[in-house]
Amino acid sequence: MRDSTFKVTDDLLASQSTRLANYILDLIVQYALMFGLVIAIAFISSLFDSYWFTDWIDSWTGFDEYLIGIVMILVYYFICEALFARTVAKVLTKTIVVRSDGTRPESMAILKRTFSRLIPFNHFSFLASPSRGWHDSLSKTYVVRKAELDQRMELHYAMEEIGQSTT
């Protein structure tokens, strides 16, 4: 009996330019979220005449900003990809994170994927061919074009169903 499980192929992978767009768009979203959060907390602090938050931000060093950035990366990517298998950028570029069989990754794979993003120069690792970054390889995930994945999986399982009904 042959294995009829769907497999993601290289031709379904998001292109290098799409991956770069995802990176840049997600970076913009992260900066916007951080800016909005800081503004909201500063506004709430001013309502209560408590300026400890703005004083604290003014005292940040470059290292503090770096740590806050790491926390932002971890929270943003983990929440988005664990809940939706997509970030804001992936929605805009019509891509999605999947396992090799085309299904949604488990939370542990997303956690591994998220922490792998902290590897130095990971941002450039998707420039190889096929377009898979280290955070993809280490977590055994793929970023694919969603519409084509859906179409290919539907066709695959329809053909499998036809094969089963004729025997």
Side-chain angles (χ1 to χ4, degrees), residues 97-152:
V97 178
V98 296
R99 298 184 321 178
S100 63
D101 63 358
T103 60
R104 179 182 284 202
E106 313 83 23
S107 293
M108 284 309 294
I110 295 299
L111 188 62
K112 188 181 288 186
R113 177 180 171 80
T114 301
F115 275 99
S116 298
R117 291 177 187 278
L118 301 179
I119 297 171
F121 305 108
N122 173 64
H123 313 310
F124 305 108
S125 63
F126 66 84
L127 296 175
S129 189
S131 183
R132 283 189 75 206
W134 294 332
H135 61 282
D136 301 318
S137 302
L138 293 170
S139 63
K140 298 179 179 148
T141 59
Y142 299 80
V143 176
V144 298
R145 295 180 308 277
K146 185 174 180 346
E148 291 177 40
L149 172 73
D150 292 344
Q151 183 181 28
R152 193 89 54 89

Side-chain angles (χ1 to χ4, degrees), residues 12-137:
L12 285 172
L13 296 178
S15 68
Q16 293 170 338
S17 59
T18 300
R19 299 298 301 268
L20 180 61
N22 284 347
Y23 173 72
I24 292 169
L25 291 169
D26 279 332
L27 193 59
I28 291 168
V29 169
Q30 290 171 57
Y31 277 117
L33 288 172
M34 181 60 83
F35 181 74
L37 182 64
V38 168
I39 294 298
I41 293 173
F43 178 73
I44 291 168
S45 295
S46 71
L47 285 177
F48 294 102
D49 283 331
S50 175
Y51 296 98
W52 66 267
F53 182 74
T54 52
D55 292 340
W56 177 63
I57 289 176
D58 287 341
S59 71
W60 283 0
T61 65
F63 183 72
D64 295 327
E65 291 173 5
Y66 181 74
L67 287 179
I68 297 292
I70 287 175
V71 169
M72 184 67 189
I73 288 169
L74 296 175
V75 169
Y76 173 75
Y77 282 107
F78 182 74
I79 289 174
C80 289
E81 291 183 347
L83 293 177
F84 310 110
R86 305 171 93 178
T87 60
V88 172
K90 287 177 186 70
V91 170
L92 294 173
T93 61
K94 299 178 174 128
T95 56
I96 190 167
V97 178
V98 296
R99 298 184 321 178
S100 63
D101 63 358
T103 60
R104 179 182 284 202
E106 313 83 23
S107 293
M108 284 309 294
I110 295 299
L111 188 62
K112 188 181 288 186
R113 177 180 171 80
T114 301
F115 275 99
S116 298
R117 291 177 187 278
L118 301 179
I119 297 171
F121 305 108
N122 173 64
H123 313 310
F124 305 108
S125 63
F126 66 84
L127 296 175
S129 189
S131 183
R132 283 189 75 206
W134 294 332
H135 61 282
D136 301 318
S137 302

